Amino acid sequence: SRGLGVVYKRQDLLTPSKDLGIALQLTNFARDVYEDYFRGRFYAPTELLRKPYSTDELENYVLNARKILATEAENWYLKAENGMNYFASDSQIAIKTCLELFNKIVDYTLEEINRIEKGSAPLWNTGGGINRMGSNNWFNIWTYYFLEEKKDIVYIFLIFIS
C-alpha cells in the first residue's frame, strides 16, 4: 500500500481496517441488544455481564450490555482513527466519514443510556417495547451528519454523480 509516497507493509493497513470493522460490529451489537435477547444471541462478554435468565432481568442486562459494547466500540474507533494515515489518501475521506458517523452513533447510544440511568428518559416506550434508537433516529443522525457537518462531501458527491 502506498500513501503520499510512503510505502507501508500490508499489516500496517490491515490493523486499522480490522479495528474499524470490530468497532462497527460492536456498534451494531450495542444497538440490537434487546432484539438479540429474543433471538437467543448475547454479545456482551459473559465475564463482565451474566446473560439474563428471565425478562425480569432484561432491563438491567440491556442497559449494561449496551454500555459495555458501546464503550468498547469507542476504544476500537480510536485505534482505527490512529491508523488512518496508512490508507491511500484518496480513500481516507470515505473511511474517516464512516468512522466519524458511527462513532457519533456510539456517542448518542451512551448519552441515551446516561439519560435513562438518570431517570430523564424512559427505558420502556409507551408501546411496551424498549426505548431504543429507532430507524428515524438513525436517519436523523445520518441526515444531520451529512447535511450539516459534511456539506463538502455531499457537494463533491453530487457534482461527481451529475
Side-chain angles (χ1 to χ4, degrees):
S1 172
R2 193 177 287 272
L4 299 174
V6 179
V7 177
Y8 297 111
K9 291 183 262 175
R10 181 182 170 103
Q11 188 59 37
D12 293 333
L13 181 58
L14 287 178
T15 299
S17 298
K18 288 178 185 177
D19 294 343
L20 181 56
I22 291 169
L24 293 170
Q25 194 63 55
L26 287 168
T27 303
N28 289 331
F29 290 161
R31 179 179 181 264
D32 296 333
V33 168
Y34 179 74
E35 292 80 2
D36 287 339
Y37 167 80
F38 293 103
R39 294 179 185 129
R41 300 178 190 154
F42 305 94
Y43 297 110
T46 54
E47 61 273 7
L48 298 177
L49 186 63
R50 180 180 64 80
K51 294 178 188 177
Y53 291 105
S54 69
T55 53
D56 295 336
E57 298 175 344
L58 186 56
E59 179 177 328
N60 187 48
Y61 174 79
V62 168
L63 283 176
N64 288 323
R66 280 189 177 157
K67 187 184 294 185
I68 289 167
L69 293 165
T71 301
E72 188 63 20
E74 277 187 321
N75 295 330
W76 287 97
Y77 283 119
L78 182 60
K79 289 172 66 173
E81 189 172 6
N82 289 335
M84 282 300 300
N85 62 317
Y86 294 117
F87 292 99
S89 58
D90 59 347
S91 301
Q92 288 182 11
I93 192 166
I95 296 166
K96 190 157 181 66
T97 300
C98 173
L99 191 149
E100 289 175 2
L101 174 62
F102 277 85
N103 202 12
K104 284 189 181 295
I105 291 169
V106 167
D107 290 344
Y108 179 90
T109 301
L110 290 170
E111 289 169 11
E112 182 181 359
I113 291 166
N114 191 33
R115 286 190 301 272
I116 291 168
E117 289 177 336
K118 288 182 177 181
S120 59
L123 174 64
W124 302 99
N125 66 30
T126 55
I130 195 153
N131 184 7
R132 65 180 285 261
M133 189 184 309
S135 58
N136 286 342
N137 291 350
W138 283 74
F139 179 75
N140 290 341
I141 290 173
W142 281 80
T143 303
Y144 173 79
Y145 182 75
F146 282 109
L147 296 182
E148 295 299 323
E149 292 190 20
K150 296 294 180 184
K151 289 179 184 175
D152 53 336
I153 293 174
V154 174
Y155 295 141
I156 291 169
F157 178 73
L158 291 174
I159 290 168
F160 179 74
I161 64 170
S162 58

